[in-house]
Amino acid sequence: LACRMCDARSGTLSLLSQLVDDVRRGTAPSRDTTGDKRPPAVQENIRSASDLKQMCSPCLACNPGVAAGLVEQGAPHGIFPKWHRPVASASQRTTGLKVLNSLTGVKVPFVPRNGNRVTWYTCGPTVYDVCHMGHARAYLTMDIMRRIMQSYFNFDVFLQVNVTDIDDKIIMRARRNKLLADYIAEAKPIEQVCKDVQQAVEAFEAKMQSKLKELEVAKEGGREEEERLELLKQHHQKMERFATDKQWITEVRQAGGQGDEAAASLARAAAEPLSEQLDMTLGLNVTDHAVFNEHARKFEASFLEDMEALNVQAPDALTRVTEYVPQCIHFIKTIIDKGLAYESNGSVYMDLAAYRAAGHSYPKLEPAKAKATEAEMAESEGTHKAESDEKRGKGDFAVWKRSKGGEPSWDSPWGGGRPGWHIECSVMGSEIFGSNMDIHAGGVDLKFPHHDNELCQAEAYHGCGQWVNYFLHFGHLHIHGLKMAKSLKNFITIRQALEKHTARQIRIMFLLNMWDKPINYSDQAIDGAKSAEAKFVTFFNSVKALLRKQWLQRETRPGSRELELIASIQSHQDHVHETLTDSFNTPGAMNALLDIVREVNAYLDKTGEEANVFLVKKAAAYVTRMLRIFGVAQEEEFGLPLPTGSAGDREQILSPIVDTLVEFRDQVRSKARALPSEQRDEFLKMCDLLRDSKLVDCGVRLEDKSSGGEWALADPEEMRKELQAKEAEKAEKAATKALQKLQAKADEMKKEEAAAVPLSHFFLQPQFADKYCTQTLDESGKPTATSDGKELSKSAKKEVDKLYKKQEDAHQKHLTKLNTKPKLLESMRTELSSLRGELKSLFESGEGVLGEDTMASLRKAIASHSGEA
């Protein structure tokens, strides 16, 4: 055999890559996959890996190889190292799709390595707590892109998602939850709990202050300083949150309850500082695997339920770290045997200097970050702290962590320990996809160090130069200017979001934003999604209403107006394709769909019942198809539809009944308008009740238009949420109006009370005490000296005369009002009291309906005007 790089012939050639299973068993690579039960895409990937050419050892050291189907030499892109682009085979279908590849920093053509099959790995959740909308951002975005690849570009996608169920956060949270539960179960006296909570809060606060002082010290500049400023901003938010928690702890303690329940309530209120304090003294004793496993399984189930609620399709493979610990140990041992990792003090570290010397590039995704900052290393290593002389290089990261007290442990050649954070993805991805995969995806916050370390480990193990062909990173979800994160306690859980908004609305919000850019989670963002949804719903309802007419009795030949619309729709369809091939530009595609809706609506407005049904239906069918591809319009994942002879189409069956009911209601409304006001209002109220309650319960949306009622089938729960939102909006407007009215009346009363002061007492008021001497007023009541006894200057006298004249005019107007309304001020106070009572009622009924800001304004207004009432 000849070396493929230098053509030297040698009997000691090194294989670039071997089958993962064969390496584990120590056997030679084989093309025989008889009886292999793995998916075809995986089998093909492994066959390609085993067909790699060979190189002599000197060439291998400088040129880590690449899998078959990739350009061998590769080419750098700017500061990024060489990227080996996949090459389409002669018979391979091309789609024109380009993707923003984090390995190149630019958009590049997407070409699967094995024909039409796409292998895709996404970093899954660390299951230590409930999922928030930041997780929804990542996995909904992944789902949208996966659906587009499968249903629009027609790729055969095999998606693997991992579950991180061994992690510092899981270990700490599970351990502290157990300790807190045990503490509450002990039923300590309330006095002891108060003492323990006080000590815990003081210790927690001291730790926060110490961290603040550390972050307030400026760095020398560059990334370290930028990172410090961001961490300082985040820490201030953590301190604000803790101040709120501390206030709540104080309120619970001051409630003065006695007994076990009061003690338990206080312990739960102080859960974070108290559990941390308990952990410091008792945490080393918690080592039972069941404690950590039970915690992880609970939140894994919660994650999967959330994904189902968001209509995120399940992955084709779900892999857990706990099920791959033996494979992790083998993987690490292989890297050590290659001289690219080393054991030290019971832990194992990647040797980055040796790795680079072997011809590998690190880091690939963030090449500017050749050295990790202290914060990045802390994030990478978690609670694992290496001794000062434990690592050969400062940037060397742990692939195996020696065990400590209070942690689960597995036996290994290096002693008891557990896999490092990054090794899990390298191992599980290699187990399914071998030495090369098409796509790896995850949140942008994982780019460095996690994803760069993944690549490092996998390429060291396989001896290859490119484990991943396309790396995709999803943008952050921000809230109030910061990344949504559990550590910052600025998160909204997926379940909380679904209480206010539908899964469809949340999906549309993400579709209206680029997948790789940050999104600010706000009312404005979700309102934009609701507006787009309403346009689609109204459009489909109009088309359905048209289809229920006797349209076949009219002319069907397309005229000039129809031909123009056909051309316009086709142009928008072309734009949808262009935007989707441009790195999944869903905002552009959604806007093109909305343009179709807008133009068809305009056509319907002009033509009415004379519209060409065939053309309108085609436009609606196309928009529906695209929305189904995006996961907005749902359809069954698999199975056969019911035959029309048995159950039939629900809308078709209901149409005659609902049409008759709507027509009858229209007649009642028309006749009611001719009745006296009291009877009219009663009939119209019953008609509204039918529309807003009875029909909603039946899943029928009814809208009153000038031509009569127009109906469509809809989700009852979604309609109820819409009605609640309208009621909330109505309540917000009523509260705002009441607040403005109260303020206006208070200002009016204040002005009238000021005008009621007689001229003889005007300058005796407190606001003038520091300026004028009240003992030297003249006969008219004007001051003649300053507060320190000096005679007024000429300009001061002019100011006094001006103030006196203004009060004289105001007082005269007040006296004139009293002639017609003697109890003017008493009447105004009564009105103010009545308005305050109205605000109180709005406040009491606004819980859970009005927004936090409005409730706070009501509370403030009630308190500030209580004395005036």
Side-chain angles (χ1 to χ4, degrees), residues 802-845:
K802 186 178 179 181
L803 290 169
Y804 188 89
K805 175 62 175 162
K806 185 178 180 181
Q807 179 63 12
E808 184 178 30
D809 293 343
H811 188 63
Q812 187 57 50
K813 289 179 181 177
H814 174 70
L815 293 175
T816 302
K817 291 178 184 177
L818 289 179
N819 289 332
T820 56
K821 200 171 185 178
K823 296 184 178 181
L824 175 64
L825 290 176
E826 185 180 341
S827 173
M828 292 182 77
R829 289 190 183 97
T830 301
E831 287 182 57
L832 195 62
S833 179
S834 176
L835 287 171
R836 183 169 169 269
E838 185 182 335
L839 251 65
K840 272 189 172 181
S841 297
L842 287 169
F843 180 79
E844 290 167 1
S845 63

Side-chain angles (χ1 to χ4, degrees), residues 547-579:
L547 291 171
R548 286 196 290 266
K549 309 291 183 184
Q550 297 298 318
W551 53 270
L552 263 179
Q553 298 175 3
R554 300 190 294 272
E555 184 177 342
T556 60
R557 181 180 65 87
S560 59
R561 183 178 285 166
E562 284 73 25
L563 294 175
E564 287 178 11
L565 183 59
I566 290 171
S568 180
I569 291 172
Q570 289 174 343
S571 174
H572 292 312
Q573 288 177 327
D574 291 341
H575 188 61
V576 168
H577 181 75
E578 290 166 7
T579 55

Side-chain angles (χ1 to χ4, degrees), residues 42-100:
V42 177
Q43 294 184 35
E44 180 60 33
N45 198 61
I46 291 172
R47 281 197 293 272
S48 298
S50 64
D51 282 341
L52 291 172
K53 295 180 181 179
Q54 296 172 309
M55 288 193 295
C56 63
S57 297
C59 287
L60 176 61
C62 301
N63 299 278
V66 294
L70 305 182
V71 171
E72 196 168 283
Q73 292 298 330
H77 288 73
I79 63 171
F80 292 89
K82 286 181 180 180
W83 177 65
H84 303 268
R85 63 179 177 83
V87 182
S89 63
S91 60
Q92 192 167 348
R93 182 177 61 91
T94 58
T95 62
L97 172 63
K98 288 188 175 183
V99 298
L100 179 62

Side-chain angles (χ1 to χ4, degrees), residues 83-87 99-103 108-113 437-441 466 468-472:
W83 177 65
H84 303 268
R85 63 179 177 83
V87 182
V99 298
L100 179 62
N101 190 355
S102 296
L103 288 164
V108 292
F110 178 76
V111 179
R113 195 169 65 85
M437 68 178 74
D438 293 304
I439 297 174
H440 192 317
Q466 186 162 299
V468 175
N469 298 337
Y470 301 91
F471 232 121
L472 311 180

Side-chain angles (χ1 to χ4, degrees), residues 283-475:
L284 294 177
N285 301 322
V286 183
T287 57
D288 185 359
H289 280 224
V291 172
F292 309 104
N293 192 58
E294 182 181 345
H295 185 92
R297 295 290 76 76
K298 173 185 174 181
F299 290 108
E300 177 188 84
S302 175
F303 163 73
L304 294 173
E305 289 167 6
D306 287 346
M307 293 302 102
E308 185 175 357
L310 290 171
N311 191 32
V312 172
Q313 292 179 330
D316 301 304
L318 187 72
T319 50
R320 300 168 175 157
V321 187
T322 49
E323 297 170 356
Y324 282 83
V325 174
Q327 290 85 344
C328 287
I329 292 170
H330 168 79
F331 204 92
I332 294 167
K333 188 175 182 303
T334 302
I335 299 174
I336 292 175
D337 292 344
K338 291 187 174 187
L340 302 181
Y342 57 92
E343 182 274 337
S344 179
N345 198 22
S347 296
V348 179
Y349 299 93
M350 279 298 299
D351 190 336
L352 293 182
Y355 180 75
R356 291 184 176 115
H360 293 280
S361 297
Y362 178 87
K364 281 188 168 186
L365 297 166
E366 293 277 18
K369 296 182 178 180
K371 292 183 179 180
T373 63
E374 289 181 14
E376 286 165 345
M377 282 304 298
E379 180 186 1
S380 173
E381 304 296 71
T383 59
H384 177 75
K385 305 296 180 187
E387 302 296 335
S388 58
D389 59 347
E390 191 169 315
K391 299 197 293 184
R392 294 176 185 172
K394 186 178 178 181
D396 293 354
F397 56 89
V399 294
W400 182 264
K401 300 178 181 180
R402 69 179 178 276
S403 62
K404 300 182 296 183
E407 297 180 350
S409 178
W410 285 264
D411 292 334
S412 80
W414 319 287
R418 57 191 171 91
W421 174 29
H422 318 292
I423 196 72
E424 63 187 67
C425 294
S426 301
V427 172
M428 291 186 286
S430 295
E431 177 77 8
I432 302 293
F433 298 133
S435 63
N436 182 263
M437 68 178 74
D438 293 304
I439 297 174
H440 192 317
V444 68
D445 54 321
L446 298 177
K447 186 182 289 188
F448 184 86
H450 180 56
H451 286 158
D452 263 315
N453 289 356
E454 270 190 64
L455 290 172
C456 175
Q457 297 160 154
E459 291 176 4
Y461 174 83
H462 293 293
C464 66
Q466 186 162 299
W467 185 50
V468 175
N469 298 337
Y470 301 91
F471 232 121
L472 311 180
H473 284 103
F474 312 129

Side-chain angles (χ1 to χ4, degrees), residues 623-675:
V623 173
T624 301
R625 172 178 170 260
M626 293 310 304
L627 293 179
R628 280 181 177 158
I629 287 172
F630 295 156
V632 174
Q634 295 187 31
E635 60 182 346
E636 292 298 322
E637 186 178 0
F638 54 82
L640 299 174
L642 290 171
T644 55
S646 57
D649 179 75
R650 182 166 175 256
E651 187 168 339
Q652 188 177 356
I653 293 171
L654 290 175
S655 284
I657 303 167
V658 180
D659 282 342
T660 303
L661 179 61
V662 170
E663 185 180 349
F664 176 72
R665 179 178 173 275
D666 287 342
Q667 291 173 357
V668 172
R669 280 166 53 85
S670 177
K671 297 291 184 183
R673 291 191 177 92
L675 296 172

